[in-house]
Amino acid sequence: MLIHRPPMGWNTWNTFGANISDKLIRESADAFVEAGLKDAGYKYIVIDDCWSKKLRDPDTDRLVAEPQKFPDGMAPVADYVHGKGLKFGMYSCAGQRTCADYPGSFDHEFLDAETFASWGVDYLKYDFCYKPGGIDGRLLYRRMGMALRASGRDILYSACNWGSDDVWSWIRSTGAHMYRSTGDIFDNPASYRKIVLSQLDKLGTSAPQCFNDMDMLTVGMYGSGLVGTTGCTDADYRSQFALWCFCSAPLMLGCDIRKMSGFIRDLVTNKDLIRVDQDAEARPPMAARHPWNEDLLTLFKHLDDGTYALGFFNLGEEEGEAVATFSDFGLPAHAGYDVSVRDVLDGTGESVYREYMRVKVPAHDCRVFIARLERR
Ligand code: GAL
C-alpha cells in the first residue's frame, strides 16, 4: 500500500479517552465534513483505545466491540464513515493488553488483522504496552506488518512504540507507514516543544511510505479532555501546527472537532501550511538558533516546486526578533540571489530580503513564509 503523503485525520484519544461511542464517531464524521476538513485533505477517523469488551469472545477468540459503546458492532460505524467519503481507523496493541487494559493482539495478530479487515478498517494504530518480557519488540511490529498484508485489505499501519529501540532505524522494514517517535503529548506548551525539539535531528529517515509521527495534535483542546492539562493559547496552537507541518508529520487532530472555533478551523485548514506538510519530497527542515537567544528557532525547508518554507518560532516567554541568515541554509551572499517571501499566516504580499531576514515574533508564536529566490 503506497502512502505518498503524511496521513491526515482525527483520533479520539486526546479528548475522549474511554468516552467513545458509535454516536460520537458519527457526529464527528459529520462535523469533519462540515468544517471543511475533508476538503482540506483530512481523511481518517480513528478510534483509539477502549473500544472493545474487556475479554475476547470465548468461542471465536476474536475481539468484540463493547456493546454499550457500539451497540451494532464496528462494521456499521465503518460504513457510516465510508459513506462520508472518509476512511476508518482503529487501534490495537502489540502486547497482551492495551495501555488502558483491554485485550491486545499479542499472539492473535493474524486473527485480529482479519477481523479488522472484515469490519472495513483502513488504518490500524498499533501500541506497545504489556509486551511479554524476553520478546523483541521489533518482532511484534514485523508480525502485525505481515498480518495486515495477509488480511487482503489495504490498511495503513501506524506503529506506536513511542520511539523505543531506535524505531527510526528499523520500522520502515516492517511495512509500517508511520511511527510514533516520542512519548504521549499533553496539551501544554512544554509538551509540544519537547516533542519537536527531540525529533528535529531524527527526521532524516522520515519520508514517503513511512513518516515520523510526533503524536496527535492538541490544537484546539484549550485544556479540556483527557490530555488537557493547562491547555495552550492560540499562538501556541499556531506554532504547534506549523512545527508539525515543517516536519512533514502526520496531521492527526485530537480536539473535539464538533466544537472547533473559527480560528482553529482556519488554522488547521490553512492551505499553505498543509501544503508544507504534504510536500511530495517530505524533506526535513534545516534548523538554526538565534546567536544568543536559544528560544528563537528558524526552520528552512525545501519544497517540491523549487520554493522554500521559512519559519520563525519563539519558544520563549518574551517577544523576540528572530533571524534567518540565508548562508546558514546554503545561500551565500556572493551567490547573487535575494529572497522574496510571502507571509502565509497574515496573507501579506511579497517582500524581498538580502543575506538575512529579521522578524519580530511574539512569545509562544511563530511567523511562516513561503520563500523563493530572485536573481539580483
Ligand atoms: C498510549 C499511546 C496513546 C494512546 C494510549 C491509549 O500508549 O501513546 O497515544 O493510544 O496509549 O491507551
Side-chain angles (χ1 to χ4, degrees):
M1 180 187 182
L2 296 176
I3 298 291
H4 299 289
R5 314 284 168 120
M8 296 169 67
W10 172 76
N11 174 302
T12 53
W13 184 254
N14 280 0
T15 294
F16 298 99
N19 296 322
I20 50 178
S21 65
D22 178 303
K23 182 166 175 285
L24 172 73
I25 302 305
R26 287 173 197 251
E27 286 178 8
S28 299
D30 292 347
F32 197 100
V33 175
E34 276 156 32
L37 296 177
K38 182 182 168 199
D39 289 342
Y42 293 83
K43 206 155 63 179
Y44 293 96
I45 299 260
V46 181
I47 301 179
D48 207 280
D49 204 350
C50 310
W51 59 267
S52 75
K53 285 175 84 161
K54 283 281 183 172
L55 295 172
R56 289 174 176 272
D57 182 302
D59 300 325
T60 63
D61 217 17
R62 287 189 190 256
L63 296 167
V64 184
E66 166 56 51
Q68 284 181 349
K69 296 176 180 173
F70 299 97
D72 304 318
M74 279 301 172
V77 185
D79 288 347
Y80 189 82
V81 171
H82 291 150
K84 296 253 146 192
L86 302 172
K87 302 262 187 195
F88 180 61
M90 289 191 68
Y91 164 102
S92 190
C93 184
Q96 279 152 326
R97 304 289 291 173
T98 72
C99 300
D101 195 23
Y102 293 78
S105 289
F106 178 72
D107 265 355
H108 294 76
E109 293 87 356
F110 285 73
L111 180 68
D112 289 355
E114 211 179 84
T115 305
F116 291 132
S118 75
W119 289 342
V121 170
D122 308 298
Y123 174 121
L124 180 71
K125 173 172 169 182
Y126 205 48
D127 215 338
F128 200 47
C129 284
Y130 299 106
K131 175 179 83 63
I135 294 196
D136 185 346
R138 289 176 297 183
L139 182 62
L140 300 183
Y141 282 93
R142 289 180 185 173
R143 278 196 200 172
M144 188 48 94
M146 293 283 271
L148 291 175
R149 285 198 171 212
S151 76
R153 189 174 170 87
D154 272 347
I155 300 181
L156 188 151
Y157 185 17
S158 162
C160 177
N161 84 340
W162 322 304
S164 37
D165 302 328
D166 290 341
V167 65
W168 44 87
S169 65
W170 53 269
I171 193 69
R172 182 175 282 267
S173 67
T174 68
H177 300 107
M178 53 195 264
Y179 57 97
R180 263 281 295 285
S181 49
T182 69
D184 289 14
I185 197 166
F186 291 92
D187 188 24
N188 60 66
S191 177
Y192 80 79
R193 289 173 184 167
K194 182 172 161 211
I195 287 178
V196 78
L197 293 177
S198 76
Q199 294 310 301
L200 277 178
D201 62 352
K202 298 193 182 68
L203 292 169
T205 52
S206 180
Q209 313 315 333
C210 192
F211 294 94
N212 183 323
D213 171 12
M214 302 199 305
D215 206 351
M216 288 90 70
L217 294 151
T218 67
V219 171
M221 289 182 64
Y222 297 106
S224 66
L226 186 75
V227 307
T229 63
T230 62
C232 289
T233 60
D234 285 346
D236 275 307
Y237 289 139
R238 188 161 37 223
S239 296
Q240 182 187 137
F241 192 74
L243 285 165
W244 263 231
C245 292
F246 270 86
C247 295
S248 284
L251 298 178
M252 300 300 293
L253 302 172
C255 66
D256 184 344
I257 50 179
R258 299 168 306 174
K259 298 183 182 154
M260 271 191 301
S261 67
F263 169 81
I264 295 297
R265 202 181 47 228
D266 290 350
L267 174 65
V268 302
T269 58
N270 180 297
K271 282 198 169 54
D272 289 304
L273 290 178
I274 289 182
R275 183 254 175 281
V276 170
D277 182 78
Q278 299 282 298
D279 186 74
E281 297 188 22
R283 301 207 181 266
M286 292 174 246
R289 294 287 184 143
H290 187 279
W292 60 87
N293 182 348
E294 272 277 290
D295 289 333
L296 298 172
L297 171 71
T298 303
L299 298 181
F300 186 84
K301 175 184 170 106
H302 284 241
L303 299 176
D304 60 22
D305 62 356
T307 62
Y308 305 88
L310 174 57
F312 300 90
F313 296 87
N314 185 345
L315 309 179
E317 302 305 321
E318 309 206 338
E319 183 182 77
E321 197 173 36
V323 60
T325 305
F326 299 137
S327 60
D328 286 349
F329 307 121
L331 185 71
H334 60 69
Y337 288 90
D338 292 335
V339 177
S340 170
V341 303
R342 175 174 62 84
D343 190 319
V344 309
L345 291 171
D346 76 6
T348 49
E350 305 250 325
S351 351
V352 179
Y353 292 84
R354 183 164 295 182
E355 294 184 37
Y356 65 90
M357 173 175 172
R358 285 179 205 272
V359 285
K360 284 214 164 66
V361 190
H364 293 235
D365 214 337
C366 66
R367 306 278 307 274
V368 179
F369 300 84
I370 298 291
R372 61 184 176 77
L373 301 194
E374 210 171 77
R375 207 157 209 347
R376 265 176 220 154

